[in-house]
Amino acid sequence: MKNSAFKLLIALPLALSMTGCIIVASDDGHDADWISSKSNSDSHWKEEQRVNNDKIASLQIGDEFEKVRGIMGTPKFNEAFESEGKSVQVIFYRTRHKHSDGETTKDECTPLIFKDGTLVGFGKKAYERL
């Protein structure tokens, strides 16, 4: 009998200590806006990156600026200058996630480089050669 009582005294506190709190979160109801907005925000930039990568993969060196803008849409960043008598324009599209700060930065984008309105390169290496 002593042995059974001893085991019960040991088992009861252990069993009670193993219970915990369970929090259930759902997208239902007006109180869950923070869940939906974060989820939608995450999926938006992920989809934007996927679409931009697919579109960039279809581009060809020699494509005209207006054709590329028609395919790609509005860039996140835009730079323009003259070099050696040629007009140079670089537009940037978000293609990879690096920072969880809610902002898009150039290091999260792929640059597309145009000289005199013609696509001459894209990507980090092309941009570094400017």
Side-chain angles (χ1 to χ4, degrees), residues 107-120:
D107 65 338
E108 295 176 307
C109 297
T110 297
L112 281 62
I113 297 102
F114 297 85
K115 287 191 179 175
D116 290 334
T118 301
L119 183 65
V120 295

Side-chain angles (χ1 to χ4, degrees), residues 12-59:
L12 187 60
L14 287 175
L16 291 174
S17 70
M18 294 173 69
T19 61
C21 295
I22 298 175
I23 299 173
V24 178
S26 112
D27 282 357
D28 298 334
H30 68 282
D31 294 333
D33 288 343
W34 65 274
I35 296 170
S36 297
S37 63
K38 177 155 178 42
S39 173
N40 289 340
S41 173
D42 284 353
S43 64
H44 172 73
W45 64 258
K46 288 177 183 177
E47 179 65 11
E48 178 184 10
Q49 289 179 174
R50 186 193 63 74
V51 168
N52 285 344
N53 278 311
D54 288 349
K55 289 178 179 179
I56 289 171
S58 73
L59 298 178

Side-chain angles (χ1 to χ4, degrees), residues 27-97:
D27 282 357
D28 298 334
H30 68 282
D31 294 333
D33 288 343
W34 65 274
I35 296 170
S36 297
S37 63
K38 177 155 178 42
S39 173
N40 289 340
S41 173
D42 284 353
S43 64
H44 172 73
W45 64 258
K46 288 177 183 177
E47 179 65 11
E48 178 184 10
Q49 289 179 174
R50 186 193 63 74
V51 168
N52 285 344
N53 278 311
D54 288 349
K55 289 178 179 179
I56 289 171
S58 73
L59 298 178
Q60 300 289 319
I61 299 297
D63 285 346
E64 296 298 316
F65 180 81
E66 291 305 320
K67 176 184 175 185
V68 172
R69 278 292 308 270
I71 292 168
M72 296 298 301
T74 304
K76 292 291 182 186
F77 302 99
N78 186 1
E79 297 176 354
F81 55 94
E82 280 205 22
S83 176
E84 299 173 3
K86 292 189 176 196
S87 165
V88 178
Q89 188 162 9
V90 184
I91 54 179
F92 297 79
Y93 292 92
R94 183 180 179 120
T95 54
R96 62 191 162 276
H97 175 78

